[in-house]
Amino acid sequence: MKKKNIIIWAIVAIVVIIAGYFSFGGGQKKASGKTVTIGIMSGVKQEDAIWKTVAKTAKSKYNITLKFKKFTDYSQPNKALTNGDVDLNAFQHYAFLNAWNKANKTNIVAIGKTFITPIRLYSNKVKNVKDIPDGATIAVPNDATNESRALYLLKNAGLITLKNDTDLATIKTIAKNPKHLQIKELDASQTARSLSDVTAAVINTNYAQAAKIDYKSAIYVEPVNKDSEQWINVIAANKKDKNKQEYKEVVKAYQTEKTKQVIKKQYGTAEITAWDIKLK
């Protein structure tokens, strides 16, 4: 009887140890898995392919499950982040984020760089920036951030100079215009259509693609330098959450060689990974 009791207690002890293992040890890895919801823009198949790769890396390397909430309006993802409907978002560059925080009194911060899509200057009339004649008309987007970006492109192309300490460039901040260029402000979606009416136009890549304009036909491409740093896209979080480990791991899952290869496959050189570039 005593031997039987010893066996029973031994079995009980083993069961307790196994239960403890799964509660506090061996089962911990599974229990510690996190789910992170990211707000992105809908309708972009290339981006879906990129995030599919990132999600696989996040799951396999960090045991993080990524979920996505898609938006159709650029005013929505930051509102969703502030309201807690998503944990992170990935759709905007530094300039848009800074302008949003200022206008809406929010505390959203960038926690990791993703890519930059250089804006380009196109023309049906000249083949080289140097061939743009005196008095030529150049179309630029008329919204604040894209107009500033377009004017910085013209500056880097050597066509104009801007006043010192210019943050958000406008026509009024042009310091020198040696070719007496006429800057025509248009809705960004109309710049591609203006090519037949102007000497050249600064066109965002998405609108160039929609108009079936080969980005390789551009006569000038925005250089990736200190001027263009503000146009680098980012993964963003609420400031209070910026140091959360799982969010940092999402960034790490994005910033990999595998992601870089997928971006190149999806966009060619139209989009450039930005987390490892040196800005001059």
Side-chain angles (χ1 to χ4, degrees):
M1 179 67 74
K2 186 179 290 186
K3 185 175 182 181
K4 185 176 181 181
N5 288 339
I6 292 172
I7 293 172
I8 290 172
W9 282 110
I11 293 171
V12 170
I14 291 170
V15 169
V16 170
I17 290 171
I18 292 173
Y21 172 79
F22 282 104
S23 297
F24 304 104
Q28 187 174 10
K29 183 176 180 181
K30 187 174 182 180
S32 66
K34 301 287 185 179
T35 297
V36 176
T37 302
I38 305 176
I40 61 175
M41 300 305 294
S42 65
V44 186
K45 293 181 180 179
Q46 294 97 326
E47 290 300 305
D48 289 343
I50 294 165
W51 281 110
K52 184 178 180 180
T53 297
V54 176
K56 286 182 179 179
T57 302
K59 186 65 177 177
S60 63
K61 193 167 184 179
Y62 303 106
N63 197 23
I64 294 173
T65 299
L66 296 187
K67 291 188 175 180
F68 302 96
K69 187 167 184 177
K70 296 185 176 183
F71 299 95
T72 57
D73 187 306
Y74 283 101
S75 68
Q76 295 172 337
N78 280 335
K79 289 179 181 178
L81 182 58
T82 301
N83 294 336
D85 295 331
V86 298
D87 301 308
L88 304 171
N89 67 39
F91 77 103
Q92 64 194 324
H93 47 53
Y94 284 110
F96 186 98
L97 174 57
N98 292 337
W100 178 271
N101 279 332
K102 186 175 180 179
N104 296 278
K105 298 181 180 179
T106 48
N107 286 298
I108 300 172
V109 297
I111 63 170
K113 297 176 181 178
T114 55
F115 61 86
I116 183 170
T117 306
I119 202 168
R120 289 168 165 81
L121 182 66
Y122 298 89
S123 176
N124 290 340
K125 296 180 172 63
V126 299
K127 299 295 185 183
N128 193 296
V129 170
K130 295 178 181 179
D131 298 329
I132 292 176
D134 190 272
T137 299
I138 309 292
V140 301
N142 65 2
D143 61 285
T145 55
N146 279 314
E147 180 171 10
S148 177
R149 188 176 187 180
L151 293 175
Y152 269 104
L153 178 146
L154 297 180
K155 172 207 164 187
N156 281 294
L159 294 170
I160 63 172
T161 63
L162 297 171
K163 294 178 182 177
N164 292 333
D165 301 320
T166 296
D167 183 15
L168 201 62
T170 66
I171 290 175
K172 292 181 179 179
T173 62
I174 295 175
K176 293 181 181 180
N177 183 3
K179 287 195 172 187
H180 309 98
L181 302 177
Q182 302 298 310
I183 307 299
K184 187 175 183 178
E185 298 165 298
L186 297 173
D187 185 277
S189 63
Q190 300 301 311
T191 51
R193 296 182 184 180
S194 74
L195 272 177
S196 60
D197 302 319
V198 299
T199 304
V202 181
I203 307 174
N204 295 76
T205 300
N206 58 322
Y207 291 121
Q209 290 175 334
K212 301 189 183 306
I213 299 172
D214 184 356
Y215 69 88
K216 295 178 182 178
S217 69
I219 63 171
Y220 188 78
V221 181
E222 175 185 52
V224 182
N225 57 20
K226 287 291 184 181
D227 283 343
S228 58
E229 182 175 14
Q230 60 187 316
W231 315 117
I232 291 175
N233 282 57
V234 297
I235 297 172
N238 288 309
K239 188 175 182 179
K240 63 183 179 63
D241 297 326
K242 68 176 184 178
N243 292 318
K244 281 193 174 183
Q245 184 62 27
E246 59 265 35
Y247 296 174
K248 291 182 178 179
E249 288 170 345
V250 170
V251 172
K252 290 179 181 178
Y254 192 103
Q255 296 177 345
T256 66
E257 184 62 31
K258 186 178 292 184
T259 303
K260 184 179 290 190
Q261 291 171 3
V262 175
I263 289 175
K264 187 174 182 180
K265 179 180 179 181
Q266 294 297 323
Y267 288 102
T269 58
E271 191 169 284
I272 302 169
T273 53
W275 60 83
D276 56 356
I277 57 176
K278 294 182 179 180
L279 302 173
K280 296 180 180 179

